[in-house]
Amino acid sequence: MVSKHTIEKVVTWYKRGYDTQLIAHHLGLDVRAVQDILRQAAQAATRPAPPAGKPEPPEFSDRPLWGGERP
C-alpha cells in the first residue's frame, strides 16, 4: 500500500520528466508499482467529472428484501 503523499510525489516527478526507474529507486518502490500509480492517475484524469449539484438517485429494485411474507 502506498500513501497519498507518495502517489503525489510519483505523479509530480513524472510530470517533471523523471524516469520511472529513477522514481522507483528514490522512493524505494518497485518499478511496476510506479507504473501502476501512473496508469491509475491517467485513468482518473480521463474519467468524466460527476455533475455538480444533486447526486444521482439510487437504483431501486422491485424485489423484496425479506424472505417471507409481510406481517
Side-chain angles (χ1 to χ4, degrees), residues 24-60:
H25 175 73
H26 281 290
L27 296 177
L29 298 172
D30 187 33
V31 176
R32 288 176 289 176
V34 172
Q35 292 170 345
D36 287 342
I37 290 168
L38 294 171
R39 187 177 308 113
Q40 290 174 1
Q43 288 175 353
T46 59
R47 265 187 232 131
K54 284 178 146 181
E56 292 185 30
E59 294 183 23
F60 291 100

Side-chain angles (χ1 to χ4, degrees), residues 8-29:
E8 291 172 358
K9 279 185 181 180
V10 169
V11 173
T12 302
W13 290 358
Y14 187 75
K15 286 181 181 179
R16 290 182 183 172
Y18 289 92
D19 186 38
T20 54
Q21 290 180 345
L22 184 64
I23 295 170
H25 175 73
H26 281 290
L27 296 177
L29 298 172

